Amino acid sequence: MEPTGQNCSVHILRPDEVDLFWHHVEPLLEKVVPHSEGELEPKDFLPLLKTGQMNLWIVIVDKKVIATMITQVIPYPRKNVCRILAIAGEGMDVWMQYFPMLEEWARQRDCKHIELWGRKGWLRVLKDWKNSYHILTKEI
């Protein structure tokens, strides 16, 4: 899927394409690490992306990767859920318009929901999403 507009294109990469773009994506994913609980670092995603267990999305504007997202289809017993594991980059006002593409991709994989574990600030951006629950953590 490659919709374009405003010099912007969004691509979901095949597993065999991940290595070609990793050097562009890894620095963007580093920005996510301080906002996580240390579950994954960018290098941890790489083997899962290359085997197709996770999916790598990129946004290109004027031949430059400006944003990236990693998704994974979670097969719960009663439904599939598309989970956004990481999302980072610049130019959100340009590439957020392509979220319907993500929704269609998830529907094609029989997902009934899309979920994002993120900071509260996402609620200002994702106005048609609901805050179903909070994830509370405690380091032990």
Side-chain angles (χ1 to χ4, degrees), residues 114-129:
I114 298 174
E115 65 182 27
L116 169 75
W117 294 7
R119 296 179 287 161
K120 284 193 282 186
W122 276 107
L123 292 173
R124 289 191 306 272
V125 176
L126 302 173
K127 296 184 186 310
D128 60 338
W129 291 44

Side-chain angles (χ1 to χ4, degrees), residues 88-122:
E90 56 189 56
M92 184 185 299
D93 56 327
V94 174
W95 51 263
M96 282 296 290
Q97 65 183 310
Y98 295 107
F99 258 50
M101 179 181 151
L102 167 65
E103 292 173 14
E104 180 56 32
W105 180 87
R107 270 190 216 92
Q108 291 173 5
R109 280 138 191 89
D110 199 32
C111 293
K112 303 300 182 208
H113 288 88
I114 298 174
E115 65 182 27
L116 169 75
W117 294 7
R119 296 179 287 161
K120 284 193 282 186
W122 276 107

Side-chain angles (χ1 to χ4, degrees), residues 33-89:
V33 173
H35 305 289
S36 72
E37 292 294 324
E39 303 89 353
L40 295 163
E41 292 194 11
K43 65 183 176 187
D44 300 322
F45 289 117
L46 189 56
L48 299 166
L49 293 166
K50 290 169 66 170
T51 61
Q53 295 173 60
M54 292 181 182
N55 311 100
L56 182 61
W57 301 68
I58 59 172
V59 178
I60 298 175
V61 172
D62 296 327
K63 299 182 181 180
K64 179 183 176 197
V65 176
I66 65 159
T68 190
M69 176 173 65
I70 295 177
T71 59
Q72 183 178 31
V73 174
I74 308 297
Y76 288 109
R78 298 190 180 266
K79 66 181 177 181
N80 289 345
V81 172
C82 176
R83 181 176 295 160
I84 300 171
L85 297 163
I87 189 167

